[in-house]
Amino acid sequence: MPVKNKYHKEIIGLIKKFSVVESPDREGFGLKYVGTNKPSYHLNTKDTQTVAKEFLRKNKLSTQELHLLLDSLYYGGTYEEVNIAAKIIQYDKELRQNINFDKLNYWLENVHGWAEVDTLCQMAFTSDDILSKWGDWKKFLVKLNRNSNVHKRRASLVFLTKPVGQSADIRLSGLAFNNVNHLKQEKDILITKAVSWILRTLIKNHRSEVISYLEDNSD
């Protein structure tokens, strides 16, 4: 599908500037490792960050323009477009703090594999972002936790991994334990790895609770 959003076209140009290939492909072990189902321009992490920062430095977009750009990037078809979209969210504090949950859910519809989930869900949002709109975030994360899409179920845990390490607020830890509890029987590696990750992170501020939870669920 041809790209119609002018800002998206600009980002594609920046991606190609840093890319080592003429067109995106599915070559290399790296794509299999990150679990994406999309072709890649094979940008490294530093170049991906540079593209997002360079774009935002040159362009001052309204919230509506950002939403349209992110809609386009998340459905653009390559691994880099999805990751750069997440970086744009991470670097725009106002967008994060006034996140549109319908949009966030829409973007999550087209992420695939742990890296695409985690770039948005673990790296972009902070404990302050989530606690400032706690009621909305709690409702959203509980809904993700019960979703039929395994990538959204992973997101219900990964959205909380950074926050529970940054803050000892029991609202965050309580929801984390509840979401883990609901998914603890799952065998998909996207879930089992996320469960392990968030429990390890919870140790920083809730060590005794983690020990008790593991003892109670040792089987």
Side-chain angles (χ1 to χ4, degrees), residues 93-110:
K93 183 177 180 180
E94 183 177 353
L95 180 67
R96 295 197 324 269
Q97 293 184 338
N98 296 284
I99 194 67
N100 181 308
F101 291 96
D102 289 336
K103 287 291 186 183
L104 190 53
N105 184 63
Y106 177 65
W107 302 331
L108 283 169
E109 287 286 347
N110 202 42

Side-chain angles (χ1 to χ4, degrees), residues 3-196:
V3 174
K4 296 182 180 179
N5 184 286
K6 67 176 182 178
Y7 296 116
H8 190 168
K9 290 179 181 178
E10 182 178 339
I11 288 174
I12 292 294
L14 289 170
I15 291 172
K16 290 181 176 179
K17 173 183 172 182
F18 288 97
S19 179
V20 297
V21 297
E22 291 186 5
S23 58
D25 60 42
R26 299 178 185 273
E27 302 300 320
F29 172 75
L31 291 187
K32 182 178 180 182
Y33 170 69
V34 300
T36 184
N37 61 351
K38 303 172 182 67
S40 173
Y41 282 99
H42 302 282
L43 267 63
N44 60 37
T45 300
K46 182 179 179 181
D47 288 342
T48 300
Q49 294 169 341
T50 299
V51 168
K53 289 178 179 179
E54 185 172 327
F55 173 81
L56 290 172
R57 185 168 59 249
K58 291 181 178 179
N59 298 279
K60 302 300 180 184
L61 277 64
S62 68
T63 299
Q64 183 180 10
E65 288 173 323
L66 277 171
H67 283 166
L68 291 173
L69 170 60
L70 293 167
D71 287 350
S72 188
L73 285 171
Y74 268 106
Y75 288 82
T78 70
Y79 179 64
E80 280 72 26
E81 288 162 276
V82 169
N83 281 350
I84 289 167
K87 289 298 177 188
I88 288 172
I89 296 169
Q90 180 182 350
Y91 299 149
D92 193 307
K93 183 177 180 180
E94 183 177 353
L95 180 67
R96 295 197 324 269
Q97 293 184 338
N98 296 284
I99 194 67
N100 181 308
F101 291 96
D102 289 336
K103 287 291 186 183
L104 190 53
N105 184 63
Y106 177 65
W107 302 331
L108 283 169
E109 287 286 347
N110 202 42
V111 299
H112 194 278
W114 66 263
E116 290 183 17
V117 174
D118 297 0
T119 304
L120 172 62
C121 302
Q122 192 274 337
M123 299 179 70
F125 293 91
T126 68
S127 58
D128 287 342
D129 295 334
I130 291 179
L131 289 171
S132 68
K133 298 187 73 173
W134 174 247
D136 294 329
W137 269 106
K138 181 179 180 180
K139 181 180 178 180
F140 180 67
L141 293 178
V142 168
K143 184 176 290 188
L144 289 182
N145 191 248
R146 274 80 174 157
N147 199 277
S148 60
N149 182 330
V150 68
H151 300 93
K152 288 188 176 183
R153 296 199 301 279
R154 178 181 174 89
S156 76
L157 301 177
V158 178
F159 268 123
L160 292 165
T161 52
K162 182 193 290 186
V164 298
Q166 292 176 327
S167 170
D169 194 301
I170 60 172
R171 290 175 293 177
L172 295 169
S173 60
L175 181 56
F177 280 116
N178 285 339
N179 282 0
V180 166
N181 205 52
H182 188 257
L183 300 178
K184 65 185 178 182
Q185 301 293 345
E186 292 204 26
K187 303 300 182 185
D188 192 302
I189 194 170
L190 284 171
I191 302 302
T192 59
K193 289 285 189 179
V195 166
S196 174

